[in-house]
Amino acid sequence: MTAPVLAPGHIGLNVTDLDRSVAFYRQALGFEQLGAGGEGARRFAFLGRDGKLQVTLWQQSDGEFSAKTPGLHHLSFQVDSIDQVREVESVLKELNVSFAHDGVVAHREGGSSGGIFFIDPDGIRLEVYAPSGAEHAPAPSGSAPTCGFF
């Protein structure tokens, strides 16, 4: 039996304040709200683009994101160019988002891919990157993957 080819589906994230998180993901990353539901403290929202679901936000958390516990390390979004990464960075700066590094960084020394690393309102680590164009950007972790240690 041959294993099926798996493609990424959507990502589900627990959040503490659904309204705040929906606003962040729409403003910061340009997602559309495709749907929502639930009642009281158990609500959810479907976010995506062009009708395709990409992120589901679940309001069911009362804690903080922790890099010290098993689970999600970070969530990464790919764009076509470093210029698009910089456009997202500009929007994030207007929203006073906290960044892990100053500006676009390469994924590793000598690498051409790179991006920006930041956190959402619940402290979830996020990345927006392009597969090329970061050849001259600094590599904060040297030859180790930048996205692994922020």
Side-chain angles (χ1 to χ4, degrees):
M1 177 192 239
T2 303
V5 175
L6 301 175
H10 69 277
I11 302 295
L13 299 173
N14 286 337
V15 299
T16 58
D17 182 328
L18 186 65
D19 296 328
R20 177 184 69 179
S21 291
V22 166
F24 172 81
Y25 282 89
R26 291 185 74 191
Q27 293 171 356
L29 300 175
F31 284 115
E32 303 163 5
Q33 185 169 329
L34 304 176
E39 295 179 4
R42 295 178 54 90
R43 300 183 304 134
F44 60 90
F46 298 131
L47 305 177
R49 194 167 278 136
D50 299 324
K52 182 180 178 188
L53 176 63
Q54 291 179 280
V55 176
T56 302
L57 301 176
W58 302 95
Q59 182 174 291
Q60 60 183 8
S61 178
D62 61 3
E64 293 181 359
F65 178 83
S66 172
K68 296 179 182 184
T69 57
L72 179 72
H73 181 274
H74 74 286
L75 178 55
S76 176
F77 297 100
Q78 181 179 327
V79 295
D80 292 331
S81 70
I82 286 295
D83 288 338
Q84 290 176 325
V85 172
R86 288 190 177 101
E87 289 173 17
V88 174
E89 178 187 27
S90 178
V91 171
L92 295 172
K93 284 182 177 180
E94 289 177 17
L95 296 172
N96 294 317
V97 169
S98 295
F99 290 86
H101 307 289
D102 187 26
V104 172
V105 296
H107 279 134
R108 62 175 176 78
E109 287 178 350
S112 61
S113 65
I116 53 174
F117 300 86
F118 55 99
I119 61 170
D120 84 348
D122 284 300
I124 298 170
R125 298 184 301 186
L126 302 171
E127 170 188 9
V128 173
Y129 81 98
S132 63
E135 293 84 356
H136 304 291
S141 297
S143 62
T146 301
C147 60
F149 301 101
F150 78 99

